[in-house]
Amino acid sequence: MKPWLLWSAVAAAVFALVGGEIMAAHLHALGPLTSLWRDYAGVPKSATTPWAGFLLALVGITKRERIIAVSAAVSLDVVYVAVRALTGAKFTVGNGPAIVLTVMAITVALRWTGERRRTALHAIALGALLILATKVGEIWLDITAWARPMVLDPYVQLADRALGNPAWVVGHALEVAGPVPLGIVRWVYFELPVAAIVVAAWQLRNVTKGEWPRHYLVRTFLTLGLVGPIWYVLFPVVGPILAFGPWGNGYELADVWPNVVPPVPSSVEAMPFDTITPRNCMPSLHTAWALSLFIHSRRGPLWLRWGGTFWLVCTVTATLGLGAHYGVDLIAGAALCLTVESALRDPDRGWDAARIRVMAMGIAVFAGVLLSTRFLALTMAANPIPFGIALLGALAVLSYTFYVTWFTPDRAPRRDTAPMDSTAPRN
């Protein structure tokens, strides 16, 4: 990386962390710097995030060094857990990997040299960026609730009639299925970083040999995390379990999810909601991330491909069945994923007509979903079949174009995903 790009990235990170901390103080929320400090000396807000970033960083060092680092992280976590148990504090983990990752960064920067140092620092930067992005993202969710007191759930629920109200259908189905299927999809939904680290670690398994792929899952994940949340402010939605279900805390229009679909009203308008709940439904980033994980697992071994498929199916089921999203949220999330993925894949190929075509289609589908939901909701509810065909057809055409552009068997393997693309695609 060029020096000016490196320092620009550092400056942007500092600005985001400090700005987020100032905004958090204004909102009386947990700021990114405070949250980061808790990873070192307090009770981590998330046990998964520090470990995910730490494990990602390990791809840049040797097996022996990984064993030492993991042993140190586990030992520190055991000590912190024991101290918290003695003081009656909450049980969680995450301090160990945060501390060891920091020690690794300092040691590598000051004592290592050459290609070994560059590779290790690259991997450590990816792990640290994953953690810092999560910290900033948490305060951004608080900002969406503060900035947008009105939400557009009535519009989205009406538009979702064109898809057969899938949040109601899947939600009811999970209720009937019982606790085991519900527990599986709930775990998959909340532990998406676990699968992401598995796929990323497989893609980056040869970086210590100097074989950095030109494109890999982490790049897509971080880009989606940067672009997607912007729309939470532009199109604020809280989800059916809140706007139409038991978690509305008095702000819900009616407590009917998932058993009764609300009747079509004569008019529609935005509804007020509290200043705490994030407006993080449109687009569904869980769907976008799970789809990107699925895409990046396609050229891996059989177990990885099956794992990517399992995670995508369970995530889609969970986003609807847990009442977190509407169906059109998922279509928008899928369109966003395919657009971002097309922008990042195969950088050596350049901006040819095929890349521009699939990106233009993705932008059109994404914009079409949002605009039709906002301005044609009543019309969509009154004419569900043609609009349903249009929504699903547009996504199908986009998906097929994406496949033809990047995965057709006659397309020569390229360096953007090496070494994983060193063999013919398996789909």
Side-chain angles (χ1 to χ4, degrees):
M1 179 182 289
K2 296 180 180 179
W4 70 270
L5 282 176
L6 175 62
W7 287 111
S8 297
V10 171
V14 172
F15 176 80
L17 291 170
V18 174
E21 190 68 27
I22 294 172
M23 194 65 196
H26 175 70
L27 299 177
H28 304 288
L30 180 65
L33 292 176
T34 304
S35 180
L36 192 63
W37 172 248
R38 283 172 51 171
D39 287 353
Y40 290 104
V43 179
K45 181 177 181 180
S46 168
T48 304
T49 300
W51 271 104
F54 172 68
L55 293 176
L56 178 60
L58 295 183
V59 301
I61 58 179
T62 64
K63 182 178 180 179
R64 176 178 176 275
E65 292 158 349
R66 290 171 193 161
I67 294 174
I68 295 172
V70 171
S71 300
V74 171
S75 299
L76 284 172
D77 255 352
V78 170
V79 172
Y80 273 86
V81 167
V83 171
R84 278 195 284 267
L86 292 174
T87 60
K90 173 185 175 182
F91 172 82
T92 189
V93 295
N95 304 99
I99 294 172
V100 175
L101 180 61
T102 304
V103 172
M104 283 173 54
I106 295 172
T107 302
V108 170
L110 297 180
R111 300 185 61 180
W112 292 16
T113 59
E115 187 62 31
R116 180 187 179 214
R117 178 177 181 269
R118 283 191 294 272
T119 299
L121 285 179
H122 190 167
I124 290 170
L126 288 176
L129 184 59
L130 180 64
I131 295 173
L132 296 180
T134 302
K135 303 297 184 185
V136 174
E138 289 169 353
I139 186 58
W140 178 255
L141 294 182
D142 293 324
I143 292 173
T144 65
W146 167 77
R148 298 306 303 267
M150 306 292 286
V151 297
L152 301 177
D153 285 75
Y155 292 88
V156 185
Q157 192 277 322
L158 285 173
D160 233 32
R161 287 176 172 270
L163 300 173
N165 295 107
W168 270 256
V169 174
V170 180
H172 183 67
L174 279 183
E175 277 193 347
V176 174
V180 174
L182 179 62
I184 292 174
V185 299
R186 186 188 298 275
W187 182 81
V188 167
Y189 183 78
F190 288 107
E191 299 301 334
L192 182 63
V194 174
I197 292 301
V198 172
V199 175
W202 189 86
Q203 289 181 314
L204 302 176
R205 66 197 183 281
N206 291 324
V207 298
T208 54
K209 302 176 183 178
E211 299 177 9
W212 276 95
R214 295 281 286 155
H215 178 50
Y216 44 92
L217 179 64
V218 179
R219 299 176 74 233
T220 305
F221 253 59
L222 293 175
T223 304
L224 286 170
L226 178 66
V227 175
I230 296 172
W231 298 96
Y232 295 163
V233 172
L234 300 177
F235 206 102
V237 182
V238 294
I241 197 172
L242 292 156
F244 297 95
W247 290 9
N249 294 321
Y251 287 91
E252 70 274 8
L253 287 179
D255 186 359
V256 295
W257 182 88
N259 297 312
V260 180
V261 177
V264 178
S266 58
S267 62
V268 60
E269 59 185 13
M271 61 179 283
F273 214 78
D274 63 31
T275 57
I276 299 174
T277 304
R279 278 59 166 152
N280 61 338
C281 284
M282 178 66 85
S284 168
L285 285 190
H286 263 87
T287 299
W289 281 322
L291 179 57
S292 68
L293 189 151
F294 171 81
I295 291 170
H296 281 264
S297 68
R298 290 307 85 198
R299 287 174 175 162
L302 182 63
W303 64 267
L304 193 68
R305 301 202 303 275
W306 275 107
T309 303
F310 170 80
W311 225 268
L312 176 61
V313 171
C314 287
T315 299
V316 169
T317 303
T319 55
L320 297 171
L322 299 180
H325 289 278
Y326 304 89
V328 290
D329 300 342
L330 274 63
I331 293 179
L336 179 65
C337 170
L338 298 178
T339 305
V340 168
E341 184 66 28
S342 294
L344 297 176
R345 290 187 76 86
D346 198 354
D348 291 337
R349 173 173 173 167
W351 288 84
D352 61 357
R355 186 194 300 273
I356 294 173
R357 179 172 58 251
V358 69
M359 287 188 62
M361 290 181 63
I363 293 171
V365 172
F366 182 81
V369 170
L370 267 63
L371 291 173
S372 60
T373 299
R374 177 60 181 84
F375 297 107
L376 298 174
L378 282 170
T379 306
M380 294 173 74
N383 303 277
I385 294 178
F387 276 98
I389 293 173
L391 287 171
L392 295 175
L395 181 59
V397 172
L398 173 61
S399 301
Y400 177 76
T401 305
F402 179 88
Y403 171 80
V404 169
T405 304
W406 303 111
F407 283 88
T408 46
D410 59 344
R411 182 168 299 284
R414 293 179 180 271
R415 296 175 56 210
D416 64 318
T417 48
M420 65 178 290
D421 280 353
S422 59
T423 59
R426 295 186 292 247
N427 296 290

